[in-house]
Every structure is written in structure tokens, then in C-alpha cells.
Amino acid sequence: MPSRYDDLSREQLAVLVPELLLIGQLIDRSGMAWCISAFGREEMAQIAIEEWAASSPIYTRRMQRALGYAPAPGEGDVVTIFKGLQLDIGAPPQFMDFRYTVHDRWHGEFHLDHCGALMDVEPMGPDYVRAMCHDIEDPTFDATAVATNPHAQVRPLHRPPRVPADRQPHCAWTVRIDPAHPPVAAIAQCEVIARTHAAGLDLDPIDPADDGLADYAGPLLADLDFTRFSRSALVRIADEVCVQMHLLNLAFTLAVRARAGEDAELLRTITTRQLVGIAGVAAARLHRALDLPDVMAGALRVLELHPLLNPAAYVDASFAAGELRVRESAATRDGAWITRCGPSSIAPLQAIVRAVDPHLDVEVAGTDEEWVARLVVREQPAPVADEVAVTRFSTGADFAFEPRRSLPISPV
């Protein structure tokens, strides 16, 4: 099925891709607030570990294959790991400003000149900083590296809590690959996520004849200049980034379900509130970045481009005449985000359209599997949903990207 991003220009896609990467990072700013409320800080940290460790090895390998830099068995090196981080929702460009050093194929370092996640968590106190930068980062960095080489180890040189309080860079890490290192294995939850439709989703291949880069098989670049990629490559990257978000969300749902037990209502409440928060913030960023109109047509276009409803190969939806029509699909069979929308759950759709204009609303009819949402205009503007307001506390909600030069990194 053709991508819903296929009618965007190359220039628009180069704007869209970093936006999607940042949106993926902000999913946790929405979801973890409700996990803390329900389960406490320590269980929240365990949920974060499980969701990232269960999803990142899968989507990292997907992007390696899509962009032609997948290593042969046993040949995955630090350059491959660093390329993967540049295309990972866990490390969106500039907001998580990774700077890389390559010593040789098996030894490298990175540091963060700016960590947006730290800026969000630091005001909450050192316990929350330690939970993110120690408890969560240690297993999840290794889980990401295992997608490239199970003998890779990512270890800190220094990391927050920052001493002194304004220490720069925010953190620094080594990456070493050595056959003598005990191999890292994927966690059991990763095997569950690997069996989802999202994990094995087939997307259209990149057209090598299209103008611009069709892969990332060349040297590691300090910053990815997305304008250098072909339109076809950017479409595939955008769809892959949406798959990353779905896989992360499926792993999040799996982790929350393990804590909610028999309380199905608690599971549904937490996962729906997570979606409402990220849906509204994502819609606002897409609307602003692509300069879409502040009218009903603009809201429908935001819906069409929103990660909730992408890729088209995963979520079966159509958009016309002020209506969104959703049908049963691989996403509904996975229990993905779209299952948190429908006649009995309109808040995520309301958050999206109200990010364009607070006077907009939706009326939804049908069943939980197949439904139609019609956009309507209300006389009075709606207030911002609590879930969206919580997510907006992140500095990522209003983060602005800047132009960067794309320079190759040579071993030092």
C-alpha cells in the first residue's frame, strides 16, 4: 500500500523526519507520568527499561536493512551502532545532541552536548535523574547495541546527576566491542514484540534511481542532513520511524499490563492517557512544522500524517470530505494505538484536531474495530486536555531544530 507520506515533497519530508523522531522521544513524557501515579517511581523505571529493551533491537535492525547498512553476523561495529542511534526515536537529533568519536571499528565514544530528556527530568530531583541516567540507561543502551553486535558494551565515563550542576557535556560514554565480552541477550519481552505484525511489517523499498541518497551505506556523519536523502528514502525513513513508535507503544502496553494484572480498566486508562498526551503534542508539532492551515482541512491533513495512523501498510484508514474512516487492520490485531480510539474513546482524536483549532471536535460512529470520525466545529473553544498539558511540560514540546552541516567522522 502506498505510503501516506508519498505525496509530500522532498523538502517537506526532510522537515517531517526529525519531527517524527522527536515525537517518538516524547511518548515517554506522556506515558510515564501516569505510570508514576499508578505504580510509583521504581516501577515506572522498570516499565521504561522493558519497553525500550523489548522494542529497540527490533526497530534498529529494521532501519539497518531499510537503509543498507545492516552488518553481516559478527561484523557489526561502532559505526553501525552510531548510525542506528542517529535514526532512533530514543536519540532524536539536536534534542538529544549526540556527538560521536570513532577510534577504530571496535572502539568509540559519544557524549551529549544537550540532553533534552535530562532537561525535563532534572527539575524533578536527583532520584528521578538517577533512575533515568543509571537504572534505565544501563540496560537499554546495551539492548540497543545488541541489535548490532551482542559483544558490544556501552559504559559511562560520566553521567548525571551533574556535579557541578552545570557540567558539560551532560554525559559521556564509551562503546567497546570485544569477543571476550559476555554476549548480551534480548529480554524475554523482546520475543513477544518480535511476533507482532508491526515487527514484521513490509514497506515499499527505496527507489535507487530517485534523486539523492538512497541509503546510509557511506561514512558516518556527525549530523544527518535529511535534505541529502532522496524523496523515496525519506518516505521509507518516515514510515520506519512510525513503526518504531508503534513497537515502543506495544512494549509499553505489555509492561503496563504486567503491573495492572486483572485490572483491565487500569491498563486501558494508562495507555489511553499516554496516547492522548502524545497525540496532541505531536499534532501541534506537525501542524506547525509543515505550515498547515488552521481550518478543518488542516486538521484532517494532520490526522493523515499523524503517527497514530501511519504507516498506511499498518493502519487501514482513509480521509475525505471532513471524515476519517478506520477499518480493521494489522494495527487493530496488534492492539496498537488505534484500538484506543473509536466511538467509546474519542479523546485521542479530539486532542489531535484541537491542536489545530480548539473549536474543532469529532463525532465518532461505528464499532470498536471499524468506525468513522466526522470533524465538526463547536461555538466554544475546548480547554487543553490534562494529558496534553502534562506532556507539554517537556522542553521537547516547543523545541526548535537548527540547520546543521553534515560532516563525515573519521577515526582518530
Side-chain angles (χ1 to χ4, degrees), residues 139-150:
T140 54
F141 268 142
D142 278 354
T144 298
V146 76
T148 298
N149 194 312

Side-chain angles (χ1 to χ4, degrees), residues 58 191-201 246-247 250 314 330 334:
I58 299 168
E191 297 179 8
V192 177
I193 302 303
R195 294 194 292 270
T196 63
H197 295 283
L201 190 67
H246 286 294
L247 289 168
L250 291 171
Y314 189 55
D334 272 349

Side-chain angles (χ1 to χ4, degrees), residues 21 45 56-57 97 103 157 180 188 199 201 207 220 242-243 271 284 313 363 390 398 407 409 411:
L21 287 164
S56 66
D97 199 8
H103 298 295
L157 293 168
L201 190 67
D207 181 0
L220 174 69
C242 289
V243 172
T271 54
E363 294 176 347
V390 166
D398 295 314
L407 300 174
I409 295 176

Side-chain angles (χ1 to χ4, degrees), residues 1 43 58 87 109 116 122 138 140 206 225 234 262 280 296 331 365 384:
M1 180 177 292
E43 283 302 311
I58 299 168
L87 293 158
E109 298 175 12
E122 227 171 22
D138 283 351
T140 54
I206 296 168
D225 179 0
L234 290 167
E262 299 298 319
M296 191 177 293
V384 175

Side-chain angles (χ1 to χ4, degrees), residues 265 268 272 339-348 364-368 371:
E265 185 56 33
R268 186 166 189 87
T272 301
T339 62
R340 297 298 183 258
C341 304
S344 62
S345 183
I346 65 173
V364 185
T367 67
D368 287 340
W371 43 266

